[in-house]
Each structure stands twice: as C-alpha cells, then as structure tokens.
Amino acid sequence: MTGFSMSATPHSASEPREHLDTAIEREYRRARFLRRRDLTLAILTPIVLLIAWELAARTGLLDPRLFTPPSAIAVRGWQMIVTGTLWIDVFSTVARLIAGFVSGAILGIVVGLLMGVWRPLRAALDPTFTALYALPKIAILPLLLLIFGLTETPKILSVTISVFFVVQINTLAGIMQIDSRITEAARAYKASGFRLFRYVLVPAALPSIMTGLRVSAGMAVIVITAVEFVASNNGLGYLIWNSWQLFQPDSMFVGLIAVSLIGAISTGLVILLERAMLPWRHGRGPRKKGKTT
C-alpha cells in the first residue's frame, strides 16, 4: 500500500497543472477567435453597405442623381487625386485642424490642471467657462471674422476654442476625482510642489485627459468642416458645400468620405497615443502559455 501511494502522488499532483494548462490554452483560443471575428465584422460591414448602395443605385431603388453609386464616386475621387485638386483641399483642412487641435489641447490641459490645483482660479473661471461651453462654437465665427477678417486665424481659432473647452473640462474632472488619501500619502513621503504635480496629479488625471483628447478630436473635424462651409475658398468643407451648390453629388461624396477618413485617422492617432501613455488600460488579454520542460 505504501509503494502504491508514493507512486500515485506525483501523478495526482500533476493533474491540477494539466487542467490549468488546458484552461489557459482554451482561453487563449477563445480570445484569438473573438479578435478575428471582430476584425472580420469591422471589415465586412462597410463592404456590405457599399455593395447594397451600389445595387440600390444601379437598380433604381435609389436615385443615382442624388445617391451616386460608390463605383462612380471612386472614379471621381481618383480623378481628383490625379489632378491634385483633392490634395489641395485635404492639406488645407488638415493644416487648420492640426494647428487648432494642438493649440487647444495644450491650453486646455494647462488651464485644467491649474484650475484643479488652485482653488481661487477655479472659483473665478469655472462659472464663465461653463457658460461659454454651452455656446455653439460655430456661433463665435462671425465675431472672429469681424476681429481678424477673412484670414486663416478665425478658422484655426474656431477649432482651438472647441478643443480647449472639452480638454479643460476633462482635465479638471481628472484632478478633482483624485482620492484625497493619495495626495496625503504623497505629502507624507515629502512630495510637494512640482514633484507632487509631476508624479501624482498629472498621472492620476491622465486617463481623463486622454478621454478629452479623443472626444475633441472628432469635434475638431466637425467644427473645421462647418467653418469651411461659410468662411473659406478651399478645404474639404468648401468642397462639400460648393459641390452641393453646383449639384455635383459625386464630388460632394468624395469630400464627405475624405472628412470621414480624416476623422477616423485623428481619433486613431489619439488612441495610439493613449495606448502608449496608458498601457495598463489596454491589456493584451490572455497569452498562449509557452511549453515547459
């Protein structure tokens, strides 16, 4: 009996390890399947919609004079790319977007952090910022045009103001939601002034700051497109509006698609920045366990 129990012990001890390896392998395969399924759905959905649009326009379910088939839009887009007319509008919009977004984001982060750590500044500015945030940003454009004229400044400032309020509000919220026990513990370890600001407050508020940047990236694209509708003679907003006035739906759809791509790219770049700065919020999920000897 003693010999039997001693020989059975190693075998019974290895069973939980085998079950654990099996569970890890099964979870890894499930996670890999879900990633592939999500990627497939993300690719197939727009393709199916485009095919349905093409068939509906070709069969008369949609008026092709208003809803140009995707194939015709692609031909028109290629013509505009080859001739260079589309690039002029894209570069104009992107330049204004970058200038306005970067300046608005920097100002929003700085002001939000200062309001979060300095109570008198928060008391002085918070009511005013709350009222100004509710004001439609495109409504400020006539005032900016009166001050700066038909230059690039009003267009860039419209984006700057829109981005500023979104980022400032999220940055301030990130500072205000920090647990007081964290700051007390930091001060107990002699963290004060710039060290407290650099190593405690900013990292704790960073998730909220990145959320503000993601939201404001899409808003910036909307604002610059709307501004170019009425106060520009180039840019994608001008292309869309002018094409509508001239009843050129194929060119209009090219502009709409270009704006959508710029919005997606802008948001994607912010997401990549967020993944780089907040890696703990974007875990890779289960990994396949390596073979052990």
Side-chain angles (χ1 to χ4, degrees), residues 39-50:
L39 179 61
T40 301
L41 290 174
I43 295 174
L44 287 180
T45 299
I47 293 177
V48 171
L49 292 176
L50 289 174

Side-chain angles (χ1 to χ4, degrees), residues 246-266:
L246 299 177
F247 197 73
Q248 297 175 344
D250 51 353
S251 298
M252 183 184 69
F253 279 116
V254 171
L256 290 172
I257 293 172
V259 169
S260 300
L261 291 176
I262 290 176
I265 293 172
S266 301

Side-chain angles (χ1 to χ4, degrees), residues 213-264:
L213 291 176
R214 289 183 62 177
V215 174
S216 62
M219 179 178 291
V221 176
I222 296 173
V223 170
I224 192 57
T225 304
V227 167
E228 290 175 345
F229 278 175
V230 296
S232 181
N233 56 4
N234 55 29
L236 293 173
Y238 169 78
L239 170 64
I240 295 169
W241 188 257
N242 190 58
S243 299
W244 173 79
Q245 289 181 318
L246 299 177
F247 197 73
Q248 297 175 344
D250 51 353
S251 298
M252 183 184 69
F253 279 116
V254 171
L256 290 172
I257 293 172
V259 169
S260 300
L261 291 176
I262 290 176

Side-chain angles (χ1 to χ4, degrees), residues 139-202:
I140 306 175
L141 180 61
L143 176 60
L144 297 176
L145 290 174
L146 285 175
I147 297 173
F148 300 101
L150 293 173
T151 63
E152 292 296 307
T153 303
K155 306 162 193 174
I156 296 174
L157 283 179
S158 298
V159 178
T160 300
I161 294 170
S162 303
V163 173
F164 168 80
F165 283 110
V166 175
V167 176
Q168 178 267 326
I169 289 172
N170 281 272
T171 302
L172 177 59
I175 293 291
M176 298 303 296
Q177 70 183 4
I178 297 176
D179 195 332
S180 60
R181 292 173 293 183
I182 296 177
T183 57
E184 291 174 1
R187 290 191 176 95
Y189 283 96
K190 308 301 181 182
S192 61
F194 179 75
R195 290 175 60 85
L196 178 66
F197 192 80
R198 166 67 177 83
Y199 295 104
V200 179
L201 298 181
V202 173

